[in-house]
Amino acid sequence: MTSLMFVLYLLPLLASVISPLRGPSVVRDRAAALVLAEAPDATCTERLDNALMLGTEDGITYEDGSWFFAGIVDETTQEQRGSTTVDLVRVRFEYSGTIHLAWVTAGITRPDGSYLSSGDWQSREEMRAVLRPADTYVLVYAGGPGEPVASPEGVDWSACDTAWCAFAQETEDLWTLDGGLSTMFAQSGMGASWWPWGYLPWHIEVGRTNVGWCGR
C-alpha cells in the first residue's frame, strides 16, 4: 500500500477513534457512566457509548478458531456493487476503554435475486426488522466450525470455499491493505467510520434487542 493510500485510509479511522472521545460522551468510571446513560438530557450517542462502557465486553478476541467482538448497531445503509446490493450496519464497540466504530456486512442481494445473509435473517426486510439501530446488541465474528479462516495472526478468507467466503475475499480485494482489512482490524481494532473506506465481511449474531437506551 502506498504512503498516500495509507494516510487517506487512516483519516477516517482517526476520526472514528477521536470524535467519540470529545466532551463527556465516554465516561470510563462505571458509576458515572450509569448516571450519564440514564440522564434525561443525554444524547443517543452518549447513552449508547456509556451502555457499552457498562458492559463486560472489551476489545476483539481470538478464541477457538474465531475472531469476535460485541457491540450495538447504530446505523444501517446499502452499497450498490454493480448488480449486487450490499446491506451494511455500523457497530459501536468498546476497545481498550474507548469507543470504536466498524461497518459490517449484514447481507447481499445477488443478481439473481437470492439473498446471502451474514446472520439468521433471509431477506433485507428481515434484516432491517432485526438489526434496529440503537436497539440491538450483536456479536460480530469471523471463522469458526466449517469456516477455517481465522488464526491468531488474522483472517484469510481464501482458506474456505463457501459462497460467503468467496464474497468476503472479493470484498477484501476492494482495499489494498497488507494482510487484508479483516486482519488489520483483528490486530488493531481500527475500523472505518465511513463505509466506503472499508467494511468487514464478518458474520453477525443477534444478542439482546429492545435495549431501549435511546427510546426510539
Side-chain angles (χ1 to χ4, degrees), residues 78-115:
Q78 284 185 315
E79 181 197 24
Q80 196 67 39
R81 274 168 47 180
S83 56
T84 297
T85 302
V86 183
D87 293 318
L88 302 167
V89 296
R90 190 173 69 177
V91 179
R92 307 182 77 86
F93 65 101
E94 183 183 1
Y95 186 89
S96 298
T98 61
I99 300 301
H100 287 218
L101 306 173
W103 282 96
V104 184
T105 305
I108 59 173
T109 302
R110 294 181 281 196
D112 63 0
S114 62
Y115 193 79

Side-chain angles (χ1 to χ4, degrees), residues 5-214:
M5 289 179 63
F6 185 69
V7 171
L8 290 174
Y9 183 78
L10 279 183
L11 289 176
L13 300 183
L14 292 173
S16 71
V17 174
I18 295 172
S19 59
L21 300 181
R22 294 173 181 165
S25 61
V26 174
V27 180
R28 297 189 180 186
D29 179 79
R30 293 176 64 84
L34 181 60
V35 170
L36 182 53
E38 296 182 342
D41 59 343
T43 67
C44 182
T45 298
E46 287 174 333
R47 290 173 184 269
L48 292 179
D49 290 351
N50 286 286
L52 289 169
M53 300 300 286
L54 289 166
T56 59
E57 300 292 339
D58 184 348
I60 304 166
T61 302
Y62 176 78
E63 184 177 297
D64 297 331
S66 178
W67 282 99
F68 60 90
F69 68 98
I72 300 176
V73 173
D74 80 337
E75 189 174 341
T76 64
T77 192
Q78 284 185 315
E79 181 197 24
Q80 196 67 39
R81 274 168 47 180
S83 56
T84 297
T85 302
V86 183
D87 293 318
L88 302 167
V89 296
R90 190 173 69 177
V91 179
R92 307 182 77 86
F93 65 101
E94 183 183 1
Y95 186 89
S96 298
T98 61
I99 300 301
H100 287 218
L101 306 173
W103 282 96
V104 184
T105 305
I108 59 173
T109 302
R110 294 181 281 196
D112 63 0
S114 62
Y115 193 79
L116 185 62
S117 173
S118 70
D120 290 335
W121 44 93
Q122 301 302 316
S123 67
R124 181 171 187 267
E125 290 71 24
E126 288 185 24
M127 181 275 296
R128 288 173 61 85
V130 172
L131 299 178
R132 296 188 297 270
D135 207 32
T136 310
Y137 279 104
V138 292
L139 179 72
V140 183
Y141 64 97
E147 189 178 81
V149 300
S151 70
E153 289 70 40
V155 179
D156 178 10
W157 290 106
S158 67
C160 80
D161 59 1
T162 64
W164 185 265
C165 287
F167 163 75
Q169 185 62 55
E170 178 183 302
T171 300
E172 295 270 309
D173 291 343
L174 295 175
W175 299 281
T176 308
L177 298 170
D178 293 338
L181 181 60
S182 291
T183 293
M184 178 179 177
F185 176 80
Q187 294 177 347
S188 68
M190 297 178 69
S193 59
W194 188 41
W195 63 263
W197 291 99
Y199 50 86
L200 299 169
W202 291 24
H203 303 287
I204 302 174
E205 180 179 320
V206 175
R208 282 195 296 143
T209 59
N210 298 316
V211 293
W213 284 109
C214 295

